Amino acid sequence: MPNVIAYGCDDATTQFHPLEIDIREPGEGEIYFDVAYAGICHSDIHAARGEWGPVSYPLVPGHEFVGTVAKVGPGVTTFKVGDRVGVGCMVGSCGTCEMCESDYEQWCTSTPGTLWTYRADAEGNPTTGGYSRGFTVREDFALHVPESLDFSACAPLLCAGITTYSPLKHYQVGPGSRVAILGMGGLGHVGVQIAKAMGADVSVISHGRSKEADARRFGADHFYATSEEGVLESLRGSFDLILCTVSAEGLDYAGYMAALRPYGVFVDVGLPSEPVSLPLRAFVNGGKSFAGSQIGGIAETQEMLDFCAEHGVIPQVEMITGDEITQAYDNIVDSRVRYRYVIDTSTFPATA
């Protein structure tokens, strides 16, 4: 297969530029698809800038992207040429351990474990992600993108969507649930929509009120600004579940635990870089839980896509070209995007 054009960076300064990458022909049980749109996740930035460990450069990130199947390998039964397809955070697992057999491929217990979409394959060789014109993947790690989803906007569902859907489903959010979404960025604005579609009474907790109108447009019933004196204290005993989507340091975790009702749960998906300390009293008083979540398995991710299609859940995106990726990274770090950047790969040059 001829090389394809992608955008990558050569070091932790993340100055993106076009380059040619080698994409393998689809083998047994694999498909190759032309990538149309790729979302930019904050975790791409952490990875590309070496904030989560050593990086093999040049790096082509991207773990939320969609396109159209162009080739199918031998034995493929679930996709055909022309199908709409998406790939999320992972592209492989052993398939035989207890976790994989339970549809929790993200928790694969084999060695090397879950294969994430870029950075390294099973042999430790560098791999490329979705900031590319093409991608080859096992059919059992590819997702069917429903026709009713806006193709240009739905790519972030493959990360932001499943990251918020999975804990909301796991903790049985539904009619009568009181849910708070802490932070309304790339993850939070999707979480608001999903929680509302599940039938919950939804609150958004943000630092200020600049996003209040957006929050209510996405379905929030209530909005609280923690910059206003006494707000967090006024929320004591209010929520069954708080979904924390922010990674900012210095959050008043004890205050948020106090905002839970008895047997409530605080779920973190924001992954702050520094350790968090909490007194055990915050858990014991009210039988509360502090939990974490990551993504979901392939079956659950497909379920999420179908749910979003049924309920009209769609990210709000800003479309950019390949040449704008470098600036987009800085904008995301400075919270200057509403709410997810999506790269249009048709803007990539014909050659590097």
Side-chain angles (χ1 to χ4, degrees):
M1 181 177 293
N3 289 355
V4 301
I5 300 299
Y7 270 75
C9 59
D10 298 325
D11 54 43
T13 65
T14 57
Q15 304 297 306
F16 281 87
H17 60 86
L19 70 163
E20 290 190 1
I21 59 174
D22 182 33
I23 301 294
R24 68 180 183 277
E25 287 280 353
E28 182 75 26
E30 293 185 325
I31 62 172
Y32 168 83
F33 65 97
D34 295 322
V35 177
Y37 302 101
I40 298 179
C41 176
H42 206 139
S43 60
D44 291 341
I45 301 173
H46 289 307
R49 293 183 173 176
E51 295 167 355
W52 283 354
V55 181
S56 296
Y57 296 105
L59 180 72
V60 176
H63 60 238
E64 47 180 49
F65 50 105
V66 297
T68 304
V69 176
K71 294 183 180 181
V72 297
V76 170
T77 60
T78 57
F79 286 91
K80 65 182 185 301
V81 172
D83 283 352
R84 290 166 34 128
V85 61
V87 167
C89 301
M90 55 185 172
V91 292
S93 69
C94 77
T96 58
C97 71
E98 179 184 359
M99 290 295 97
C100 288
E101 290 185 340
S102 301
D103 291 330
Y104 297 124
E105 298 92 348
Q106 75 275 28
W107 310 130
C108 178
T109 58
S110 71
T111 300
T114 305
L115 299 180
W116 305 108
T117 302
Y118 61 89
R119 298 188 74 180
D121 62 15
E123 286 73 45
N125 301 311
T127 59
T128 56
Y131 300 5
S132 168
R133 291 302 304 269
F135 197 81
T136 297
V137 66
R138 288 166 44 178
E139 68 169 328
D140 54 337
F141 278 82
L143 288 307
H144 290 273
V145 178
E147 290 292 333
S148 61
L149 285 176
D150 182 345
F151 210 34
S152 65
C154 68
L157 293 176
L158 278 304
C159 178
I162 187 58
T163 298
T164 52
Y165 179 88
S166 185
L168 291 171
K169 177 193 173 187
H170 178 78
Y171 291 103
Q172 301 179 351
V173 165
S177 299
R178 300 180 186 178
V179 173
I181 307 296
L182 177 52
M184 205 185 72
L187 291 174
H189 89 286
V190 177
V192 172
Q193 296 179 66
I194 291 174
K196 189 62 180 179
M198 289 178 169
D201 181 87
V202 181
S203 297
V204 167
I205 303 175
S206 187
H207 177 70
R209 291 196 172 270
S210 64
K211 297 180 179 179
E212 181 173 6
D214 285 348
R216 295 189 183 279
R217 177 166 55 85
F218 292 132
D221 300 286
H222 318 281
F223 189 95
Y224 303 100
T226 57
S227 60
E228 298 172 3
E229 186 175 355
V231 164
L232 188 54
E233 292 79 1
S234 73
L235 295 175
R236 292 178 66 89
S238 294
F239 307 113
D240 299 297
L241 182 143
I242 297 174
L243 182 63
C244 177
T245 68
V246 300
S247 57
E249 309 299 334
L251 288 182
D252 183 1
Y253 289 100
Y256 288 113
M257 293 294 289
L260 292 171
R261 303 173 75 190
Y263 298 104
V265 59
F266 182 102
V267 185
D268 181 81
V269 295
L271 198 62
S273 58
E274 296 298 322
V276 171
S277 178
L278 271 170
L280 287 179
R281 187 178 296 105
F283 303 88
V284 173
N285 291 346
K288 300 170 185 177
S289 302
F290 190 108
S293 187
Q294 194 182 55
I295 53 171
I298 293 299
E300 187 175 54
T301 304
Q302 186 64 60
E303 177 185 292
M304 176 275 305
L305 286 173
D306 296 339
F307 177 91
C308 291
E310 178 183 355
H311 294 277
V313 174
I314 197 73
Q316 179 175 311
V317 306
E318 294 185 31
M319 201 66 59
I320 62 171
T321 68
D323 288 339
E324 294 174 302
I325 298 173
T326 299
Q327 183 61 55
Y329 269 37
D330 291 334
N331 290 349
I332 292 169
V333 171
D334 294 336
S335 299
R336 296 198 305 266
V337 57
R338 291 194 177 180
Y339 284 90
R340 201 73 152 187
Y341 282 121
V342 170
I343 306 161
D344 180 353
T345 68
S346 70
T347 65
F348 290 10
T351 63

